[in-house]
Amino acid sequence: MPLTRLEKYLNLEHVNYKRIVHSRAYTAQKTAAYSHISGKEIAKTVMVKVDGRLCMVVLPASYQVDLKELQRATGAKNVRLASESEFKDAFIDCEVGAQPPFGNLYNMDVFVAEKLAEDTTIAFNACNHAELIQMTYKDYQRLVHPTVLKLSRRVIAEA
């Protein structure tokens, strides 16, 4: 299987990561259950539009984006969830909805929930719905330089 843009980048940056194969799942909570990783450590990527710009919000699987808080924190006039049709073509190397939280590879701003930044390791979609990449949050922070904000609230019990 050819390497994705993400894996090429991680290899180029000499990042230690683990690929985890699991049953096909389309929600972060099911991914957590199938991969036997806490929902707290699964980093789900939610696509948003911030004043018309496509951006990523990355948060634990068991949390939801607080759009009002994101708007307040960014000073944006308009913040909303992006529709699938607005972002599907931005990730040509990924299955729709399985984009990794590396906005820097796709020329997008990345906002991370402070709760996720507390984790030692995180795992996220490896451009498809049946594999994860697990790595340290410290390496993720070093590579992506996301803006860490209080922009989520827990709504679902952890897997």
Side-chain angles (χ1 to χ4, degrees):
M1 178 180 342
L3 292 179
T4 63
R5 177 187 311 190
L6 171 64
E7 288 174 294
K8 288 177 186 173
Y9 181 60
L10 294 177
N11 291 339
L12 180 70
E13 294 293 328
H14 307 290
V15 173
N16 289 323
Y17 65 92
K18 179 165 65 168
R19 177 181 283 277
I20 299 168
V21 177
H22 59 82
S23 296
R24 189 164 278 282
Y26 295 94
T27 68
Q29 285 296 99
K30 284 214 189 275
T31 298
Y34 292 164
S35 62
H36 306 287
I37 296 174
S38 167
K40 175 179 158 327
E41 292 179 8
I42 297 288
K44 70 179 175 182
T45 304
V46 177
M47 301 306 300
V48 296
K49 294 282 273 210
V50 176
D51 285 343
R53 282 184 353 265
L54 200 53
C55 300
M56 293 181 166
V57 173
V58 185
L59 58 159
S62 54
Y63 282 68
Q64 264 188 348
V65 178
D66 184 332
L67 294 174
K68 288 187 188 305
E69 189 58 33
L70 179 59
Q71 183 174 3
R72 187 200 62 71
T74 60
K77 289 184 184 211
N78 187 356
V79 173
R80 66 175 175 79
L81 294 175
S83 68
E84 186 177 288
S85 64
E86 291 176 305
F87 67 81
K88 68 178 182 156
D89 293 335
F91 305 99
I92 58 171
D93 58 335
C94 299
E95 292 178 6
V96 176
Q99 62 277 359
F102 280 73
N104 55 316
L105 297 179
Y106 302 94
N107 198 28
M108 294 177 196
D109 291 335
V110 180
F111 303 100
V112 168
E114 65 180 3
K115 208 64 179 151
L116 189 68
E118 296 171 1
D119 290 339
T120 302
T121 61
I122 60 171
F124 46 85
N125 284 332
C127 296
N128 65 65
H129 294 285
E131 294 176 290
L132 294 172
I133 296 283
Q134 186 177 49
M135 60 188 283
T136 67
Y137 180 82
K138 184 178 175 181
D139 279 337
Y140 173 76
Q141 172 74 35
R142 176 178 63 84
L143 297 176
V144 178
H145 302 288
T147 302
V148 179
L149 301 170
K150 181 178 178 12
L151 50 71
S152 64
R153 61 186 183 280
R154 186 171 182 177
V155 293
I156 313 165
E158 283 188 22

